[in-house]
Amino acid sequence: MPNPLEHVRNSFPILTQMRQYRKAWLRDDLAAGLTVGVMLIPQGMAYALIAGLPPEYGLYASVVPLLIYAMLGTSPHLAVGPVALMALLVASAASTVANSPEEHIAISILLALMAGVMQFALGVLRMGFIVNLLSRPVLSGFTSAAAIVIGLSQLHHLLGVDSVSGGLHEILFGIAVQVGQINAWTLAIGTGAIVLVLALKKRAPRVPGSLLAVGAGIVGVALTGLHEAGVSIVGEIPDGLPNFSMPMLEWALLRTLFPMAAAIALVGYMESIAVAKAIQEKAGGYEVDPNRELIALGAANIGGSLFQSFPVTGGFSRTAINYDAGARTSLASIFSAVIVALTLLFLTPLFYYLPNAVLAAVIMTAVYGLIEVGEFRRLWRLGHYDRYMFLATFVGTLFAGIEEGIVLGVALSVIMLVYRSARPGFTVLGRVPGTSVYRNIRRYDTEHEEGVLIFRLDGPLHFANAKYFREKVCDTIRHTSRVHRLVLEFSGVNDMDSTGLDELFALTDHLKEQDIDVRLAEVRGPIRDFIHKGAGDEREMPLHMTIEDAVRD
Amino acid sequence: MPNPLEHVRNSFPILTQMRQYRKAWLRDDLAAGLTVGVMLIPQGMAYALIAGLPPEYGLYASVVPLLIYAMLGTSPHLAVGPVALMALLVASAASTVANSPEEHIAISILLALMAGVMQFALGVLRMGFIVNLLSRPVLSGFTSAAAIVIGLSQLHHLLGVDSVSGGLHEILFGIAVQVGQINAWTLAIGTGAIVLVLALKKRAPRVPGSLLAVGAGIVGVALTGLHEAGVSIVGEIPDGLPNFSMPMLEWALLRTLFPMAAAIALVGYMESIAVAKAIQEKAGGYEVDPNRELIALGAANIGGSLFQSFPVTGGFSRTAINYDAGARTSLASIFSAVIVALTLLFLTPLFYYLPNAVLAAVIMTAVYGLIEVGEFRRLWRLGHYDRYMFLATFVGTLFAGIEEGIVLGVALSVIMLVYRSARPGFTVLGRVPGTSVYRNIRRYDTEHEEGVLIFRLDGPLHFANAKYFREKVCDTIRHTSRVHRLVLEFSGVNDMDSTGLDELFALTDHLKEQDIDVRLAEVRGPIRDFIHKGAGDEREMPLHMTIEDAVRD
């Protein structure tokens, strides 16, 4: 029986961390927590902007979820909070359903609850494996396209023109017709911020560039009064911590939002687990558990949604900074949350003069790195059909829409899986002279005995390919002269179902009528058992250990 | 360049048959054609009844489609025409959409057009493989449940009570409350017909029992005037051949019917190809081509729909009779169509007194054999998860509905395929003493070198299982003492994508840091090429031909 105390300790990894805590770590955790907290403030506000929410909601999403993840998460380094991709998914879902800014907020929070419940349930049911449906090429294609969509969605803030929504071409066209209305001051501030952030990133990567740009923007506008010259600013931000409030629950709304919430849950988890695993490999000394991560992220989203938070997940850049700044335990994340909470309590008036163009610059510089040109080049060189998965998802996301793109990618991946599985490879083998090794006759110089055909199936044998298998065996026999013995090399047959078994028996009977003797070799243990069971007493299937045994007699 | 004449000959297999025709065959073809034609008359009318159509539509479906299939089909023995399963699918689709008997007819004909276009398109695109999505357990479960539903749907005809529609329990309940209204004469006629057909089937299988029952029923009612005592009869059947008429085409209707038409196209093709292949194996001497069969069935349904035919396919019982009666070529089917056409022209008045109870008896005795109890027992004994596929489809079809059942079966099959593919088997190998053969250490007495772990993956390595693969390798290393070399036996890895490749490289790097040397052995040719391409110049992957080479150095 498991020790109940140990169970509690396993459920809350932070307890183990605290028991092993050394005093010297406190300084490291504090330094990392402060660094990430300071990054969170501009990023949180910027991502709220992407999601179509007032800036304070980005800060709300940076308090409660961080505390919950710190308690439950299996990664001490993962920095959870608002990220660009989730914000974009939220914007896409909420803008199609909401009829007012208030509804937009309520729906964003409801999405956090729904995605959280899904993640939590998947974790409890130990169904973490289903996120594997999102292959890396699909995820890369999706992220790259989403980065472009996010960047473009901020363009109007940078130019000081009216916002334009819709697909890629609609945004570009909508902005093109407003070229005459571009506000030069806004453009100058935005471009300046981009240059500042990029320069600092390159020259002084430890300096929090985006916070500096935010500071410079606030001071600049406050001193010059440019907001009266048409530079749009953030304006008044209500102070105070997020309140407890129940998300609105309506059956019809839940049904409508279901697919979007599923996409948020899936994409959020994928991003988070990828980051957590990458940092774990660098850091070592602990193990990230996929199902427990789902539970932790789910709880963070559920708990967050009760305190006005939109969907969050573990983000790439802040996690890297957290680790680089020396974080030792989850305490670092708690310090980050405290920084944001203090800001909400006391510092919101500071952001009154913050130009929206600066936030747009923060976003654009952050998402630029997500466009994975290198990955696409690599896939193209590999020459695998994966490159078309990337391309289809990329183009689909860019032109058809955010959800459509990801659904397309997942559907294509599953279809390819079934298709590949329906067309397994097969090979004719011959003996490498002087050995008992048998190899592909097209790749090696081999010899073979007269009238003996050795056929290797490179895949499972099941309903989706049983007929194909039989056809290929019969075709091969037809193209080989006077076959009297067929050896089926089954080392590659790693799965079989009743349809496959029936076809194997039917093939054997069919060939027996043509005086061809069928033998099996190198059959995997579980498959051997299955064939024996299916054959019963009436039927004998000659199973040989090696090809040599089967060929010789 | 292909010879154009040969192309024509390939497209119309009947031309080749006619070139090789021998005079002696004519008698055989005529005898078989007459036998099947005579069977078609009661069956066609009965299946029209299942589809919810007037009886003459069953005869219409037995003329034009037969002629078209005879021209294009690659099986000289397949008897195409109305079958019970297709009729049931038509009834299920049309009854939910149609608002009047006229609409019910129009929709049934439209379904033939739609299913025909789908079959034709799948054949032209050479996508016959997608029908493999319907595994045999799913098809058996579906057919068994459908047979029960069909049988029950005829029960009210047999009892002479009002028709009841709906699910299984609704039909049973609806009939139970009408027990007092049962017409004794109707019940006597129906039961008599069932007994007659079954007895003849057993004692004199060559006698066309259903036609005899039909004749006896007509004569009996005409002589006794029992139709005035409440025995329901077929009544007036309009004479004349089916007219040319365009199916009604409406965008909204096409969209609504799309999934049902797809089910009809898929199920129809599955039933037909299974029968055609089974007879081909018995008869020999010709080859049934799946894609050309799709084209032929598609053309038969399209052409049929232009002449008032509902969806048809190759049926089991009539094909068996056709073959047993000695059919040599497609000419037999043409003779069958002529028999039906002559009946439509001259003999329809004969059927005026035919009791509906006799048609119900014909249906019930025909579908009884479709309940595959034996197949279910066999699956249960096999102990494979296939038995749950059968059960789920059976129960789903029986209680949730015809389309729902089949969709459930296909969806479950695909999910299982992905799931199985996400959890491939793996094995630790050891050397069989005194040989160079390596086998599962749990199944054989093996020996192994200190610190060398031989890990065999029994499946492809792709996005759906790359993470699982890595976890299992790391777990196994953790549970083996002091591993310094890992040999990955890849003979079972028959497919790999870029996600799998990345994980393989990452695993190798990760283990190198722990001073574990990774080697690959028995890698399939295409996979070897793919790994080489992915590794490029920067990375070396040690690939060994045999396990022995990899273990030794």
Side-chain angles (χ1 to χ4, degrees), chain A residues 53 57 59 73 76 90 93 129 139 214-216 242-243 256 285 287 297 300 336 389 404 429 432 457 463 486 517 551:
Chain A
L53 299 168
Y57 283 87
L59 301 179
V90 167
F129 81 92
L139 198 66
V214 164
N243 296 316
T256 311
E287 197 63 49
L297 279 180
S336 301
M389 299 287 129
E404 287 81 357
L429 303 181
V432 178
L457 175 64
F463 67 92
L486 170 71
D517 174 28
V551 170

Side-chain angles (χ1 to χ4, degrees), chain B residues 128-213:
Chain B
F129 80 93
I130 72 143
V131 298
N132 292 339
L133 292 184
L134 222 49
S135 72
R136 210 159 110 56
V138 166
L139 197 66
S140 299
F142 173 70
T143 311
S144 302
I148 295 175
V149 174
I150 293 172
L152 281 176
S153 75
Q154 300 305 312
L155 198 55
H156 71 275
H157 282 303
L158 205 68
L159 302 174
V161 299
D162 290 342
S163 91
V164 187
S165 65
L168 193 64
H169 50 288
E170 287 157 318
I171 292 181
L172 289 177
F173 181 78
I175 284 177
V177 299
Q178 295 185 74
V179 162
Q181 280 89 60
I182 289 178
N183 184 302
W185 288 115
T186 305
L187 183 58
I189 292 171
T191 325
I194 290 179
V195 170
L196 179 66
V197 173
L198 289 183
L200 283 173
K201 208 176 200 172
K202 206 169 174 184
R203 301 284 167 88
R206 310 276 316 233
V207 176
S210 47
L211 194 75
L212 224 66

Side-chain angles (χ1 to χ4, degrees), chain B residues 105-114 244-250 253-254 301-309:
Chain B
I105 294 172
I107 285 168
S108 304
I109 293 169
L110 178 58
L111 283 168
L113 178 65
M114 292 174 73
F244 174 84
S245 66
M246 273 304 291
M248 93 181 142
L249 292 171
E250 248 178 63
L253 195 60
L254 291 177
N301 275 316
I302 295 171
S305 75
L306 300 177
F307 289 92
Q308 301 178 274
S309 162

Side-chain angles (χ1 to χ4, degrees), chain A residues 251-286:
Chain A
W251 180 238
L253 195 59
L254 292 177
R255 280 193 60 153
T256 311
L257 294 177
F258 186 87
M260 284 303 303
I264 290 172
L266 197 73
V267 173
Y269 172 64
M270 279 297 290
E271 183 171 355
S272 187
I273 193 81
V275 176
K277 287 257 178 189
I279 292 285
Q280 170 211 310
E281 243 152 63
K282 260 194 178 171
Y286 61 90

Side-chain angles (χ1 to χ4, degrees), chain A residues 126 129 132-137 270 273 277 280-281 287 290 375 378-379 381-386 413-414 417-423 425 427 432 436-437 439-440 443-444 456-460 462-468 470-471 478 489 491-499 501-503 505-506 510 513 522-530 533-535 544-546, chain B residues 126-127 129 132-137 270 273 277 280-281 287 290 375 378-379 381-386 413-414 417-423 425 427 432 436-437 439 443-444 456-460 462-468 470-471 478 489 491-499 501-503 505-506 510 513 522-530 533-535 544-546:
Chain A
R126 308 189 66 74
F129 81 92
N132 292 339
L133 292 184
L134 222 50
S135 72
R136 212 162 109 55
M270 279 297 290
I273 193 81
K277 287 257 178 189
Q280 170 211 310
E281 243 152 63
E287 197 63 49
E375 174 67 7
R378 191 182 75 96
L379 285 176
R381 270 201 309 272
L382 260 179
H384 196 267
Y385 70 84
D386 273 346
S413 303
V414 171
L417 203 67
V418 173
Y419 181 78
R420 300 277 282 196
S421 163
R423 301 284 171 113
T427 316
V432 178
S436 59
V437 176
R439 285 289 182 276
N440 187 343
R443 288 185 171 249
Y444 293 85
R456 188 181 72 197
L457 175 64
D458 296 340
H462 50 48
F463 67 92
N465 64 27
K467 287 211 176 62
Y468 178 82
R470 184 186 182 152
E471 267 165 39
R478 213 168 298 133
E489 207 272 42
S491 67
V493 179
N494 34 60
D495 197 6
M496 199 186 274
D497 69 0
S498 65
T499 313
L501 188 65
D502 290 344
E503 203 65 51
F505 289 157
H510 175 67
E513 282 169 23
E522 302 267 352
V523 184
R524 303 277 189 239
I527 305 294
R528 205 158 49 224
D529 296 346
F530 186 60
K533 224 179 203 167
H544 296 269
M545 190 148 121
T546 64
Chain B
R126 307 190 65 77
M127 280 176 60
F129 80 93
N132 292 339
L133 292 184
L134 222 49
S135 72
R136 210 159 110 56
M270 279 297 290
I273 193 84
K277 287 256 178 191
Q280 171 211 310
E281 245 153 62
E287 195 63 49
E375 173 68 7
R378 191 182 75 95
L379 284 175
R381 271 201 309 271
L382 258 179
H384 196 266
Y385 69 84
D386 272 346
S413 303
V414 171
L417 202 68
V418 173
Y419 181 78
R420 300 277 283 197
S421 162
R423 300 285 172 113
T427 317
V432 179
S436 59
V437 176
R439 284 288 182 275
R443 286 183 172 249
Y444 292 85
R456 188 182 71 195
L457 176 65
D458 296 339
H462 50 48
F463 67 92
N465 65 26
K467 288 211 175 62
Y468 178 82
R470 183 185 181 154
E471 267 165 39
R478 214 170 296 134
E489 206 271 44
S491 66
V493 179
N494 34 59
D495 198 7
M496 198 186 275
D497 69 359
S498 66
T499 313
L501 187 66
D502 290 345
E503 204 65 51
F505 289 157
H510 175 68
E513 280 168 24
E522 303 267 353
V523 184
R524 302 275 189 241
I527 307 294
R528 205 157 50 222
D529 296 346
F530 186 60
K533 224 178 202 172
H544 295 269
M545 190 148 121
T546 65

Side-chain angles (χ1 to χ4, degrees), chain B residues 350-410:
Chain B
L350 276 187
F351 297 104
Y352 182 86
Y353 289 109
L354 174 58
N356 283 315
V358 171
L359 286 181
V362 168
I363 293 171
M364 285 176 150
T365 50
V367 299
Y368 175 73
L370 297 177
I371 307 175
E372 305 188 16
V373 181
E375 173 68 7
F376 180 66
R377 272 214 206 101
R378 191 182 75 95
L379 284 175
W380 197 260
R381 271 201 309 271
L382 258 179
H384 196 266
Y385 69 84
D386 272 346
R387 54 185 171 183
Y388 302 111
M389 299 286 130
F390 180 109
L391 260 188
T393 313
F394 180 78
V395 173
T397 306
L398 217 48
F399 295 99
I402 294 291
E403 313 97 273
E404 288 81 356
I406 203 150
V407 167
L408 181 73
V410 171

